[in-house]
Amino acid sequence: MTTTKNFSILPEENRLNNMHLHQILLNISDGCYYLNKDMQLLFVNRSAENMFNIVKGEILGRNISEAIPDLCRKVCKQLYQSYKKQKGISFDLSYANTNYFKVKTIPDTKGLLVIMQDITETKKENERRAYYEKLRLIGEMAAGVAHEVRNPLTTVKGFLQLVEKNEDLLKYQEIFLLMINEIDRVNSIISEFLDMAKNKPSRKEKEHLNEIIQSIYPLLETRAIKENKKIHLQLHPLPLLNLDQNEIRQLIINMVNNSLDAMNAKASIHIRTYLDRGQVVLSITDEGTGIAPEVMNKISTPFFTTKEKGTGLGLAISFAIAKRNNANIDFTTDSSGTTFSIRFTIQDHY
């Protein structure tokens, strides 16, 4: 006959286990808090304090609707239902329009444990991937139609150049020149459109970013001087980067030209390079009036422009070039100007 021996946890062991669990929850990187059945906060860990800018000593024992009202407006209904039905749930949460969390609940008869994982960077990376996938699809579409568009344009341009020289039509010469110039403009836009998202062979080599900037500085300075503006360089020592030099030159020219367009006479652009948290940063700061809030999310969209004669492709091309060269672009803006930061990942395996 087989006997089963029962093992029981002694009170002291139970206390030690609870202490160990408490320390784990207190120090995990995910935000964690425990609510009783009346939705009062009985436990808040350090990560949750940082996430919501709260001090647990000031909120423990208080209802979550009073302690963290902004959070409660978004999640209290789900938390109450999870406790009432005694069923764990999981959902995504957007908080303060800047942070994203994966929320998980673990109910018991006395209350509810809530764990919040910060997925902001994952969310942004997914959005970046989706954006560049759209660019790729646009590039494929453009490649499919560009040939068919360019052929008739070339034919039309050829005939216009012929009739332009006809002595009987000299009075229309100005019109013909305008039409030819517009055809050239369409061809230029098609070229830019194709360059924005094409998947071309990589020509990356070990490059000094500072040297690329210095090589095109005279070109940038020429336009600035002509418009009574200034460009200041502040270049710090940097490691080699794996770059396509021609693409980076185009990116810098596009970005600086945009900054020059945004400024009035006597204003300045500041171009800086530096290391920040394991990345090489190229920042371009102008002294313009900033980017209007209503267009911030559209500036990298192909063909979106606030300029009277702009194509809306300069920034879209720049974002695509950055992606191909292991970089991301972010920006800050206010009424005193805008700073674009191109952040290059340092790759050790050249």
Side-chain angles (χ1 to χ4, degrees):
M1 181 176 179
T2 303
T3 59
T4 302
K5 188 174 181 179
N6 292 321
F7 291 91
S8 60
I9 299 177
L10 298 174
E12 182 63 19
E13 291 179 299
N14 188 52
R15 187 181 70 84
L16 290 173
N17 286 338
N18 287 340
M19 288 176 60
H20 183 60
L21 178 60
H22 181 273
Q23 284 300 117
I24 291 174
L25 293 178
L26 191 65
N27 294 295
I28 61 174
S29 59
D30 294 340
C32 177
Y33 54 92
Y34 184 82
L35 302 163
N36 66 12
K37 62 181 181 179
D38 296 319
M39 295 291 116
Q40 294 171 324
L41 288 156
L42 301 186
F43 170 83
V44 176
N45 75 347
R46 296 186 179 98
S47 294
E49 287 184 274
N50 294 330
M51 283 178 179
F52 304 112
N53 194 27
I54 55 178
V55 179
K56 67 178 180 180
E58 298 176 358
I59 65 171
L60 288 181
R62 296 174 61 188
N63 190 286
I64 188 173
S65 63
E66 299 174 354
I68 323 176
D70 291 340
L71 178 63
C72 185
R73 278 191 288 270
K74 290 178 174 289
V75 302
C76 274
K77 183 177 180 180
Q78 294 98 313
L79 300 186
Y80 179 75
Q81 290 296 322
S82 175
Y83 170 72
K84 183 179 179 181
K85 295 180 180 180
Q86 287 293 291
K87 183 179 180 181
I89 59 173
S90 176
F91 58 92
D92 289 349
L93 167 68
S94 170
Y95 186 75
N97 297 321
T98 56
N99 296 90
Y100 298 91
F101 300 99
K102 173 72 71 175
V103 183
K104 296 181 180 179
T105 67
I106 305 171
D108 60 29
T109 57
K110 295 182 179 180
L112 188 71
L113 179 66
V114 184
I115 299 174
M116 301 183 67
Q117 180 186 12
D118 191 333
I119 58 170
T120 303
E121 287 306 314
T122 302
K123 180 82 172 177
K124 289 180 178 179
E125 179 60 27
N126 289 340
E127 289 175 350
R128 282 194 289 265
R129 288 180 181 175
Y131 170 75
Y132 289 114
E133 177 63 16
K134 288 179 183 178
L135 287 187
R136 186 186 67 79
L137 293 174
I138 289 172
E140 290 181 359
M141 179 187 70
V145 301
H147 181 72
E148 299 301 324
V149 172
R150 275 180 166 160
N151 276 347
L153 282 178
T154 302
T155 303
V156 172
K157 180 179 178 180
F159 279 111
L160 284 172
Q161 288 171 327
L162 283 176
V163 298
E164 175 200 4
K165 298 175 182 178
N166 190 317
E167 293 184 0
D168 297 331
L169 300 173
L170 285 178
K171 63 180 180 179
Y172 300 111
Q173 190 175 41
E174 190 173 318
I175 295 174
F176 293 142
L177 284 173
L178 176 62
M179 295 171 71
I180 290 170
N181 288 336
E182 288 302 299
I183 287 174
D184 288 339
R185 174 173 157 79
V186 171
N187 269 318
S188 175
I189 291 173
I190 289 173
S191 296
E192 290 185 14
F193 191 36
L194 285 170
D195 192 52
M196 177 177 59
K198 62 186 177 184
N199 187 20
K200 61 183 182 181
S202 174
R203 296 179 182 176
K204 297 186 183 72
E205 295 180 359
K206 296 178 184 178
E207 300 286 355
H208 291 281
L209 179 59
N210 288 343
E211 290 182 2
I212 296 175
I213 296 169
Q214 289 168 330
S215 70
I216 60 174
Y217 176 71
L219 172 65
L220 304 173
E221 189 180 38
T222 298
R223 178 187 165 185
I225 292 173
K226 184 179 179 182
E227 298 177 5
N228 193 20
K229 300 169 185 176
K230 294 182 180 180
I231 299 178
H232 303 282
L233 298 184
Q234 188 179 353
L235 310 180
H236 293 90
L238 301 173
L240 287 168
L241 291 172
N242 206 25
L243 304 173
D244 184 320
Q245 181 178 153
N246 290 332
E247 285 198 329
I248 298 303
R249 286 167 61 93
Q250 182 183 2
L251 181 151
I252 296 169
I253 290 170
N254 286 353
M255 302 292 285
V256 171
N257 280 337
N258 275 344
S259 293
L260 287 169
D261 290 340
M263 300 192 313
N264 296 321
K266 299 183 179 180
S268 297
I269 292 174
H270 301 268
I271 300 175
R272 296 175 58 223
T273 60
Y274 56 94
L275 288 170
D276 179 46
R277 291 174 292 180
Q279 292 182 312
V280 168
V281 182
L282 163 61
S283 73
I284 300 171
T285 302
D286 64 53
E287 295 177 354
T289 57
I291 301 171
E294 60 270 20
V295 303
M296 283 185 186
N297 294 327
K298 302 176 184 178
I299 61 171
S300 62
T301 303
F303 300 111
F304 175 81
T305 181
T306 57
K307 303 174 188 176
E308 185 178 346
K309 295 184 179 180
T311 63
L313 291 174
L315 276 177
I317 291 170
S318 298
F319 273 72
I321 288 174
K323 181 67 174 179
R324 291 198 293 265
N325 286 270
N326 303 306
N328 290 310
I329 300 177
D330 57 46
F331 67 92
T332 57
T333 186
D334 57 34
S335 59
S336 62
T338 300
T339 296
F340 279 93
S341 298
I342 303 98
R343 300 179 179 274
F344 296 88
T345 300
I346 300 173
Q347 294 180 312
D348 296 326
H349 53 284
Y350 287 144

